[in-house]
Amino acid sequence: DERRAVTAEVLAALQRVSRRPAGAVLLRAEDIMEAIRAAGLLAGTTPGLREQARVIAADLAQLGRYREAILADRLALDAEFVALAGERDRLAALILARQERLALAESAMGTEGSRADQLGREARTLRELIDRTEAEAATIRRKAEEARLAAEAEARQARERFAAAAAREPVRLAPRQGFAELRGLLSRPAVGIPLREFGAPDGSGGVLRGAAIGTRPRALVTAPADGWIVFAGPFRSYGRLLIINGGGGYYLLLAGMDHMNVAVGQFVLAGEPVGQMGDVAAPSAALGVVETDGPVLYVELRKDGGPIDPGPWWAKSQAERARG
């Protein structure tokens, strides 16, 4: 609106000048004042118009730069869409390959589960079970090593095909450090209240060879340390028993779970979920007499086949460190 008003004034002044040219003004003295007014009006409006013209020119130049930037962004976006389509195809191929491997793994898990059940039925003692499962585990680890080498070769080929993909940390297939170095550093396999300690009377004339932890219903159970699953299935008075080989002759036994989600031969990391508790205590003579109706996790630590006290191996909680 302001520019329209200024333009109207300029047009009016130009009309006056066109009707009364400068040469004709000298012939009529009465038009001198009108000519002066027109000249003053032009003198007052011309600088403003010149400034507005400069601003408009700058705006047009900036608009041109914006258009060039938009064009460049559009070209870059088109390139990103092409790259995204290629990445989507790559991910689809990887997902398909993963599904095929999961199907093979599930088939192998079923086979190993049946084998574990057979070992549990055939073994007469826990020591015999550990020895036999260790022999089985050695064969499984050899096959796993062959599979790892094949996977590494496949990964190298994949990295060559997709050089722009982010590098991933290789999966660990062995403990980070020796089990003997973890004394006082192991994380408890489940959050709960200690019910029975190692060496406590089991209520039947003997002593407890492990520890009992009262957990909340359906609590998650995790691996206390890195290791290989050498047994996962029912075994005599233990009920559902999970045995983790931590290396160096150390074995971790976990019993009392409602179900387990690992397979024999699998390598697990410390803190990795391995099972889940039920809603009530699972029947297990290995627990001894425990006065509770809630779920109870039995933990046993063995060295070279003999049970040892797991108490000194657990990492202290913040409250224990504050007291100690």
Side-chain angles (χ1 to χ4, degrees):
D1 293 339
E2 292 176 356
R3 291 183 178 179
R4 287 194 186 97
V6 173
T7 303
E9 294 179 0
V10 172
L11 291 176
L14 292 175
Q15 287 177 353
R16 295 191 189 98
V17 172
S18 64
R19 289 201 305 268
R20 299 287 191 273
V25 170
L26 298 177
L27 300 178
R28 298 182 58 189
E30 62 273 12
D31 293 332
I32 292 177
M33 293 305 297
E34 183 178 354
I36 292 174
R37 286 195 299 270
L41 178 61
L42 289 175
T45 56
T46 300
L49 292 174
R50 188 177 294 114
E51 178 63 21
Q52 291 180 9
R54 187 189 65 79
V55 171
I56 291 174
D59 290 343
L60 290 174
Q62 184 66 27
L63 181 61
R65 288 192 292 269
Y66 283 153
R67 286 177 176 172
E68 292 176 359
I70 290 173
L71 179 60
D73 289 342
R74 185 172 297 160
L75 294 176
L77 186 61
D78 291 340
E80 290 291 339
F81 276 128
V82 173
L84 182 61
E87 187 68 12
R88 188 180 293 114
D89 293 339
R90 185 183 75 88
L91 289 177
L94 291 176
I95 291 173
L96 179 60
R98 183 176 182 274
Q99 290 174 343
E100 293 175 352
R101 290 192 178 186
L102 282 176
L104 293 175
E106 289 176 355
S107 175
M109 185 179 296
T111 302
E112 295 300 336
S114 301
R115 180 59 180 163
D117 292 341
Q118 181 181 354
L119 287 175
R121 290 191 299 269
E122 294 176 353
R124 290 171 296 179
T125 64
L126 187 60
R127 180 66 177 270
E128 181 182 352
L129 175 64
I130 292 177
D131 291 341
R132 297 186 64 175
T133 53
E134 180 59 24
E136 293 282 339
T139 303
I140 293 174
R141 284 199 294 272
R142 178 178 56 79
K143 294 180 180 179
E145 180 65 18
E146 295 174 355
R148 184 182 67 84
L149 295 176
E152 288 181 353
E154 184 179 350
R156 283 195 298 270
Q157 295 177 359
R159 284 194 294 270
E160 293 174 359
R161 291 195 302 268
F162 309 109
R168 294 178 173 84
E169 181 184 0
V171 177
R172 278 197 296 118
L173 296 176
R176 189 183 298 275
Q177 60 187 122
F179 194 93
E181 302 174 12
L182 299 177
R183 186 181 177 90
L185 300 175
L186 293 183
S187 59
R188 287 177 171 82
V191 177
I193 301 173
L195 299 177
R196 305 291 295 277
E197 299 294 342
F198 177 84
D202 61 2
S204 59
V207 295
L208 207 62
R209 292 178 294 179
I213 303 174
T215 72
R216 62 176 177 80
R218 309 194 66 78
L220 190 67
V221 180
T222 60
D226 297 350
W228 296 271
I229 305 297
V230 296
F231 184 80
F235 180 71
R236 301 189 182 277
S237 63
Y238 287 86
R240 288 187 178 89
L241 176 64
L242 179 67
I243 302 179
I244 302 175
N245 179 8
Y250 290 93
Y251 291 86
L252 283 160
L253 285 68
L254 305 176
M257 289 174 284
D258 184 66
H259 72 270
M260 298 173 287
N261 52 14
V262 289
V264 174
Q266 179 180 343
F267 180 78
V268 294
L269 301 176
E272 182 174 345
V274 294
Q276 189 175 31
M277 304 298 293
D279 295 319
V280 296
S284 176
L287 292 174
V289 179
V290 179
E291 297 179 354
T292 179
D293 295 330
V296 179
L297 178 67
Y298 176 74
V299 184
E300 189 173 313
L301 177 60
R302 287 183 169 249
K303 174 68 167 73
D304 297 328
I308 60 177
D309 185 4
W313 291 80
W314 303 131
K316 291 184 178 180
S317 64
Q318 293 182 354
E320 291 172 336
R321 288 195 296 267
R323 291 194 301 266

